Amino acid sequence: VDRKAVSVAGLAAVALLVAVAAFGCANRGAVQPAGHAPAVQSSQGDKAASTPTPSPTPLDTAATNPTDDPGAADDSLAGDLSDLERLLGGINGALSGSEAGPSGGE
Amino acid sequence: MKTRVTSLAVGLVLGGSLLLAVAGAVSAVSPPPAPAGKGACATQATAARTGATVDTLKAFGDCEISRRITTLDALSARVTASKVLTSAHASALQSEIGSTKSGLTSLKATLDAETTVEALKADIAKIVTDYRVYVLVVPQVNLVNGADGVMAAQSRFATVNTKLTAAIAAAKAKGKDTTAAQASLDAMNAAVTKAVGLASPLPEALLPLTPAQYNAGTAGPIIGNARTALGQARDQLKAAMAAAKACRDALKALK
């Protein structure tokens, strides 16, 4: 009975691994645009994703070429607006820090 | 089977222990809070209040000076780390922090050399009245930093303005109605102008303030007004952010 249970458990584990692998492959295929071969190795892709280096965006081009699509402003403005959010956070911190008197004394 | 179950249990215990050990290590690296708060000298204060002797007063005075120096070091680090302070303002603040720190260090030497309770009480009073670390220096550093933050935001909004103006021009060239986008952009620029008007005079008003002015009652209202103005400037910047987003959305709708 014990041996049977062990082999059933082993089979279940193998099946689970196969299912996880299949699911992973399916997901990878789903995010890849149809007919679009990966242009970078995965390590380069990770690096690009974690480094928010501003690259030319539709609106940057629009700044020099006013005939471009104005609706693409989103891409370029996102960085500026998030910088501004950070600055606002800093100003909020400065305001609350300026009231250190009550907790620090005189 | 029994062996496997035992192995599983041992594995779980070991894994759990490892997790706990890692969690412990993480909390161990976090530095303890600096003894700068009001309660840092509670024990010494109680001892001095219960029996005001040369020893208890010295311990209390030393503790109060020490926590102020901790605070000043933290302020100095904040000034150094700030990406928005102008070099002139950073330099003025570091100079004030430095002179306050050296004054307190000198006072500590005086205090430690005292031999009478009366002299020690007078020295302890000076820790507050001669330096005003918490009600003057702390707000000065924070409010000047915040005001310079508003000025830094102005230059970032100028970039946003350039991009949105170009995008509006492009849409106009295609025959689109850009009235709404332009109105939002105008609102953004108006709010930024108001914010800058509120924040730009603050450093010049705050930096010259002295403990003597605080003791005379003239510095407190200036600090209070500066705090109010900076809060209003922050609100204007929030409004400018909302207007910038509205402009972007209006342009997107023209697609």
Side-chain angles (χ1 to χ4, degrees), chain A residues 1-3 5-6 9-10 57 59-60 62-106, chain B residues 1-2 4 36-39 67-68 78 84 128 132-135 138-139 142-143 145-146 149-150 152-153 156-157 159-160 163-164 166-171 173-174 214 227 230-231 234 237-238 241 244-245 248-249 251-252 255:
Chain A
V1 174
D2 281 358
R3 276 187 189 167
V6 168
T57 62
L59 191 64
D60 288 340
T64 52
N65 178 7
T67 59
D68 277 356
D69 181 7
D74 270 1
D75 296 339
S76 177
L77 282 175
D80 295 321
L81 293 177
S82 71
D83 281 351
L84 281 164
E85 292 282 7
R86 268 199 299 277
L87 277 170
L88 271 172
I91 294 166
N92 275 330
L95 270 168
S96 53
S98 75
E99 288 165 359
S103 63
E106 294 183 88
Chain B
M1 184 68 174
K2 204 172 181 183
R4 280 177 180 252
K38 209 173 185 176
R67 80 181 178 99
R68 280 168 174 76
R78 190 173 303 168
V84 296
V128 172
R132 296 290 181 188
V133 171
Y134 294 106
V135 291
V138 168
N142 281 291
L143 293 172
N145 195 25
V150 174
R156 183 63 71 177
F157 271 113
T159 306
V160 171
K163 289 177 179 175
L164 289 174
I168 288 172
K174 285 184 174 176
Y214 190 90
R227 194 177 283 126
L230 186 60
R234 183 262 326 265
L237 291 183
K238 275 186 182 171
M241 280 285 288
K245 286 175 182 171
R248 176 198 59 186
D249 293 345
L251 286 167
K252 207 173 177 183
K255 255 179 139 181

Side-chain angles (χ1 to χ4, degrees), chain B residues 109 111 187 197 207 218:
Chain B
L111 192 144
L207 286 169
T218 53

Side-chain angles (χ1 to χ4, degrees), chain A residues 97-98 100-101 105-106, chain B residues 72 75 93 96 100 128-144 205-215 218-220 222-223 227:
Chain A
S98 75
E106 294 183 88
Chain B
L72 291 166
L75 288 176
L93 289 170
E96 182 178 356
T100 305
V128 172
T129 57
D130 285 10
Y131 300 100
R132 296 290 181 188
V133 171
Y134 294 106
V135 291
L136 178 65
V137 185
V138 168
Q140 278 175 313
V141 170
N142 281 291
L143 293 172
V144 171
L206 290 162
L207 286 169
L209 298 178
T210 62
Q213 285 173 294
Y214 190 90
N215 297 338
T218 53
I222 294 172
I223 292 168
R227 194 177 283 126

Side-chain angles (χ1 to χ4, degrees), chain B residues 6-100:
Chain B
T6 311
S7 306
L8 181 65
V10 170
L12 283 172
V13 169
L14 282 174
S17 308
L18 186 64
L19 276 175
L20 287 174
V22 169
V26 168
S27 64
V29 230
S30 308
K38 209 173 185 176
C41 302
T43 308
Q44 291 84 343
T46 306
R49 215 176 294 123
T50 314
T53 64
V54 167
D55 285 344
T56 58
L57 288 172
K58 271 186 192 176
F60 175 59
D62 284 349
C63 182
E64 285 292 337
I65 288 173
S66 169
R67 80 181 178 99
R68 280 168 174 76
I69 286 173
T70 301
T71 298
L72 291 166
D73 287 341
L75 288 176
S76 176
R78 190 173 303 168
V79 169
T80 303
S82 174
K83 288 177 180 167
V84 296
L85 277 171
T86 66
S87 57
H89 294 162
S91 167
L93 289 170
Q94 290 289 23
S95 166
E96 182 178 356
I97 292 166
S99 65
T100 305

Side-chain angles (χ1 to χ4, degrees), chain A residues 6-90:
Chain A
V6 168
S7 62
V8 167
L11 278 173
V14 170
L16 184 65
L17 282 172
V18 169
V20 167
F23 183 74
C25 288
N27 269 356
R28 180 171 283 202
V31 292
Q32 202 63 252
H36 187 272
V40 289
Q41 295 295 320
S42 63
S43 61
Q44 288 173 308
D46 291 344
K47 195 178 174 187
S50 63
T51 311
T53 312
S55 55
T57 62
L59 191 64
D60 288 340
T61 321
T64 52
N65 178 7
T67 59
D68 277 356
D69 181 7
D74 270 1
D75 296 339
S76 177
L77 282 175
D80 295 321
L81 293 177
S82 71
D83 281 351
L84 281 164
E85 292 282 7
R86 268 199 299 277
L87 277 170
L88 271 172

